[in-house]
Amino acid sequence: MLVHLFMGVGEDYSVCTGTMANSERTFIVIKPDGLQRSLVGEIIKRFEQKGFRFIAMKLIQASEDLLKEHYIDLKDRPFFAGLVKYMQSGPVVVMVWEDLNVVKTGRVMLGETNPPDSKLGTIRGDFCIQVGRNIIHGKDSVESAEKEIGLWLQPEELVYYKSCAQSWIYE
Ligand code: IDP
Ligand code: MG
């Protein structure tokens, strides 16, 4: 079939060829409200259409202990207890995306923490109204993303594979 000429049938896309130079990983969580409001597909679509690649994804009901650890830096904030309760109020989708500048670009795609400060066209700017229901979490540094990946996922849950689109996305 013609399509096979372009897809490179015979190449093994399950083979890990190592990560691309300068690539990094970010940790994204679709929060319980994002899932309940049926925004999972829309959010994944935005990252996929940008050209990013996911290397892990799972649906999880997070425990209180995990969430307290996840948000440990905010433990003294007045909204901490409510935040943990909100994040525990239903399942979440956790994802690892790996690509060039994915941490910084991911944050731009999310928008600002407080939805009214978020530009239209961003996820929070388009789909939510209040800071306490801002549907998505994403890290703002490579180091903190790596820390959270280690907290939420086992090493074997990260799956490395070669993308057939890479040479069409990068020069
Ligand atoms: P971020 O999610 O944009 O990185 P952070 O300041 O790290 O923002 O706060 C983590 C999460 O805590 C926010 O996404 C939001 O769900 C919640 N949060 C932050 N500030 C407030 C607040 O003033 N009231 C209620 N929840 C808040
Ligand atoms: Mg944060």
Side-chain angles (χ1 to χ4, degrees):
M1 281 164 58
L2 188 59
V3 68
H4 286 169
L5 293 172
F6 297 105
M7 290 178 69
V9 164
E11 284 192 54
D12 185 352
Y13 288 109
S14 68
V15 172
C16 169
T17 54
T19 54
M20 202 177 51
N22 300 321
S23 83
E24 59 192 31
R25 309 189 296 188
T26 195
F27 184 68
I28 300 287
V29 181
I30 303 175
K31 297 179 176 181
D33 45 346
L35 185 143
Q36 293 293 342
R37 294 180 53 207
S38 304
L39 292 169
V40 172
E42 172 65 32
I43 290 167
I44 293 172
K45 185 184 84 174
R46 289 182 177 215
F47 279 83
E48 273 194 311
Q49 290 189 338
K50 179 73 180 167
F52 292 143
R53 246 160 32 98
F54 63 90
I55 59 167
M57 191 172 294
K58 74 173 174 182
L59 180 66
I60 176 174
Q61 173 64 55
S63 69
E64 187 177 338
D65 286 349
L66 174 61
L67 291 165
K68 283 184 169 167
E69 183 63 29
H70 174 76
Y71 282 125
I72 190 94
D73 294 345
L74 300 173
K75 68 176 183 340
D76 297 326
R77 305 297 292 273
F79 56 83
F80 180 72
L83 174 60
V84 170
K85 196 172 165 209
Y86 156 51
M87 291 295 289
Q88 235 200 323
S89 64
V92 296
V93 177
V94 303
M95 306 181 276
V96 178
W97 292 82
E98 179 182 76
D99 242 306
L100 188 64
N101 294 324
V102 70
V103 171
K104 180 180 176 190
T105 309
R107 284 291 289 199
V108 173
M109 290 167 66
L110 259 61
E112 300 300 320
T113 305
N114 195 20
D117 299 333
S118 300
K119 290 197 169 68
L120 293 177
T122 66
I123 293 167
R124 286 168 172 167
D126 286 350
F127 299 121
C128 49
I129 293 170
Q130 275 198 311
V131 67
R133 295 291 182 272
N134 62 359
I135 74 168
I136 186 163
H137 164 84
K139 286 323 294 183
D140 52 5
S141 78
V142 173
E143 296 70 34
S144 59
E146 289 299 325
K147 192 171 152 214
E148 288 186 4
I149 290 167
L151 181 65
W152 287 78
L153 293 158
Q154 300 300 316
E156 60 271 20
E157 291 179 298
L158 306 178
V159 181
Y160 299 95
Y161 56 95
K162 187 170 143 192
S163 162
C164 66
Q166 196 160 314
S167 61
W168 298 102
I169 295 170
Y170 295 96
E171 59 183 1

